[in-house]
């Protein structure tokens, strides 16, 4: 069939550049070690920060929900797909986040798109960090509001944007809490202070901070002691929480508005019972097993220190996300391949996900990696790094 030849030409160019990657199949459960192409390797690329993907309490909760309520919900939330468990989980989540209300979306991606695209109009401005996640960017593409992009975590540039947009009805300042490719934490306290000075609304995307930062993993707002001062907290249930979904935590009014206007919420089917039940169990785990978060941070410190000692450029990450920055895309892929040979799965990431010349192998340690796993991974990094000429 003719008509899509231009796609083939582009893919060919990616192959030449060395950045074409087939999808990697995981043949086991998602854990500290996984089976890929029949080989057991140490997993350093998942967002499974606390190892909850396989937590027994969550698996049991999911199985029980399937037995009682079935496999699916058969409708969007606004028609016939709101089960009691959806509402109870949102109440529990709001209590956990210390907000009036919370609303769950199908994913973190659709939560960001749904909020940004729905709450602003032509008379508003959205002001966004240049390194914000793709889902924030797509939400901005869909809003009728004007847009301003400020330099990454640059408070002077943010203040300039706030000064220049004072005639707008509403200014929405949006930032990732933890930036997903570099692992740095947004200067949220200073951002909130600026927004209070200029009367702007603050939204933080805590995808990589939920379950990681703050007491019991409550996120960046808790980490910086900013409860009651951030209007909109978005987070994901797909990373540290270990399941699937996104949420918005904020005021009751915000929740009501989103239920009526956020298009991904309105027009896409609700989460299956197993998903909601497992997410609910995950909150219990966060509250009752805080040692998981302690272990995550201990492992993070050990692994970062090891990579630094070996001479890798690991950027300025302050979180379990540790980039190993190598430069060109092809080199990142070569390091990733060499690591696989050495028994470690750590995916290479290149342009357009990160800027040209900043390609990297991004690593994320988890609470369930043992010291032995991490030492073995560091030894593999040493051998692979030398082989491809990175160290
Ligand atoms: N925001 C950020 C910062 C993310 O890293 C991600 C996941 N890549 C998302 C949102 C989307 O979350 P989800 O995977 O739940 O759609």
């Amino acid at each position: 069939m003719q008509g899509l030849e231009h796609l083939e030409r582009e893919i060919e160019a990616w192959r030449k550049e060395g950045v074409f990657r087939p999808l990697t199949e995981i043949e086991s459960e998602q854990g500290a070690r996984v089976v890929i192409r029949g080989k057991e390797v140490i997993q350093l690329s998942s967002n499974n920060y606390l190892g909850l993907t396989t937590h027994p309490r969550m698996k049991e909760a999911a199985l029980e929900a399937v037995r009682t309520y079935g496999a699916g919900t058969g409708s969007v939330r606004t028609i016939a797909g709101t089960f009691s468990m959806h509402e109870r989980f949102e109440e529990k989540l709001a209590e956990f986040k210390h907000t009036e209300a919370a609303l769950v979306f199908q994913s973190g991606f659709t939560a960001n798109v749904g909020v940004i695209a729905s709450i602003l109009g032509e008379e508003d401005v959205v002001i966004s960090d240049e390194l914000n996640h793709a889902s924030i960017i797509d939400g901005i593409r869909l809003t009728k509001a004007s847009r301003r992009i400020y330099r990454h975590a640059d408070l002077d540039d943010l203040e300039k944007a706030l000064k220049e947009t004072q005639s707008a009805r509403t200014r929405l300042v949006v930032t990732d809490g933890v930036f997903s490719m570099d692992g740095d934490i947004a200067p949220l306290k200073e951002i909130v202070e600026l927004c209070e000075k200029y009367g702007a609304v603050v939204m933080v995307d805590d995808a990589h901070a939920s379950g990681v930062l703050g007491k019991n993993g409550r996120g960046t707002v808790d980490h910086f002691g900013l409860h009651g001062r951030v209007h909109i907290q978005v987070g994901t249930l797909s990373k540290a929480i270990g399941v699937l979904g996104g949420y918005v935590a904020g005021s009751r009014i915000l929740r009501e508005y989103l239920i009526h206007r956020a298009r991904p919420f309105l027009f896409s089917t609700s989460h299956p019972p197993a998903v909601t039940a497992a997410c609910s169990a995950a909150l219990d785990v966060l509250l009752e097993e805080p040692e998981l978060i302690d272990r995550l941070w201990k492992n993070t410190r050990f692994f970062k220190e090891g990579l630094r000692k070996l001479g890798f450029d690991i950027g300025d990450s302050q979180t379990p996300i540790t980039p190993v920055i190598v430069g060109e895309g092809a080199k990142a892929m070569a390091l990733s391949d060499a690591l696989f040979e050495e028994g470690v799965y750590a995916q290479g990431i290149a342009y357009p996900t990160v800027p040209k010349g900043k390609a990297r192998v991004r690593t994320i340690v988890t609470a369930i990696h043992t010291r032995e796993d991490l030492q073995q991974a560091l030894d593999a990094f040493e051998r692979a790094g030398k082989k491809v000429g990175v160290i």
Side-chain angles (χ1 to χ4, degrees), residues 107-109 112 133 135 176 180 205 207-208 236 238-239 245:
S107 69
F109 197 105
N112 274 329
H133 189 255
S135 52
D176 279 7
S180 54
D205 171 4
H208 289 277
T236 174
S238 335
K239 299 185 193 289

Side-chain angles (χ1 to χ4, degrees), residues 47 49 105-112 131-136 175-181 205-209 234-239 243-247 321 362:
N47 299 305
Y49 289 103
F105 283 68
Q106 288 77 5
S107 69
F109 197 105
T110 58
N112 274 329
L131 292 191
N132 277 343
H133 189 255
S135 52
I136 294 176
T175 181
D176 279 7
V178 171
F179 288 86
S180 54
M181 288 299 140
D205 171 4
D206 254 352
H208 289 277
V234 170
T236 174
L237 304 165
S238 335
K239 299 185 193 289
V243 194
L244 171 72
Y247 63 83
I321 298 171
R362 187 184 65 158

